Amino acid sequence: MIQDPATANDPHCALRDTLLQLSRWGCQGFECSPQTLAILNTWFRPVPAAPSEDVPVDTLVAIRDDLGDCRRCGLSAGRTHLVFGEGNPRAELMFVGEGPGAEEDRSGKVFIGPAGQLLTRIIEAMHLTRDQVYICNVVKCRPPGNRNPEAVEIQTCRPFLERQIKVVGPKVICALGSVATQVLLDTDQPVSRLRGRFHDRSGIKVMPTYHPAYLLREPDKKKLVWEDVKKIMAFLRIPL
């Protein structure tokens, strides 16, 4: 639209010229009902503000630092090393057991004893490596005599497990044994009743299965674990 230079700075003349041009284009008026304005307002959404630099982003390193030389429950009195967890910090698949065993307590490494070696073979049978998954336990210190962790010990350690799950953000958690299954699904049912199918946990699929330590005592149950594992593979689109 070309304006007369003599009237270019006159707002009234500018408005008149604009309306005349709109009329030439065929505009017959403006529909400004409250309903229309409400619809138009939905077309313009504010750009989300960038995260504040004052809000820290949680990481596995930060969680481990927060644990420190943990003395929050009685398990710390008998431990040699705290066993935090290891693997891919952005893994699609996460394995959660109940607690460290003797070898793990001595080394500070997760799932490296006989049960851990069996878990490694299970992971490899899935065409994965330990570096591609994330592995941790419900409690980070070995219970005496490898007993099941007690309720107070689980509740003391649970916030750190929840943070690990949130940071890793897996698509699937494989819960190894009844303790891990009951904690992750907030149930008192045994793993034998829950295995074989996925359970939803705030958008994360949980597949309960038998703990590798149990398989060492009951090797005939390995075929059931393999059936559970194949369902995880299918969900993650891992070829058999």
Side-chain angles (χ1 to χ4, degrees), residues 90-166:
R90 291 293 181 268
E92 291 188 339
L93 174 58
M94 186 173 188
F95 291 90
V96 178
E98 60 187 58
E103 292 295 328
E104 291 78 12
D105 179 62
R106 278 192 287 269
S107 67
K109 300 289 186 180
V110 67
F111 272 95
I112 63 164
Q117 293 167 25
L118 178 53
L119 177 61
T120 298
R121 293 198 293 274
I122 292 170
I123 293 170
E124 290 172 348
M126 299 176 72
H127 309 303
L128 297 170
T129 67
R130 285 175 62 112
D131 290 338
Q132 292 176 293
V133 302
Y134 192 82
I135 309 171
C136 65
N137 285 302
V138 171
V139 297
K140 314 306 183 192
C141 299
R142 182 194 181 198
N146 289 345
R147 65 162 171 77
N148 287 343
E150 297 174 353
V152 66
E153 297 160 351
I154 291 171
Q155 292 308 312
T156 300
C157 223
R158 182 168 183 164
F160 299 100
L161 171 65
E162 297 292 349
R163 288 172 65 186
Q164 284 175 296
I165 293 171
K166 185 174 181 180

Side-chain angles (χ1 to χ4, degrees), residues 52-70:
S52 171
E53 294 182 358
D54 295 332
V55 179
V57 177
D58 208 1
T59 66
L60 293 172
V61 172
I63 300 168
R64 180 63 187 88
D65 288 345
D66 287 348
L67 268 167
D69 183 28
C70 184

Side-chain angles (χ1 to χ4, degrees), residues 198-210:
F198 285 112
H199 303 261
D200 184 74
R201 186 184 192 272
S202 301
I204 299 174
K205 298 295 184 183
V206 176
M207 174 61 75
T209 197
Y210 293 114

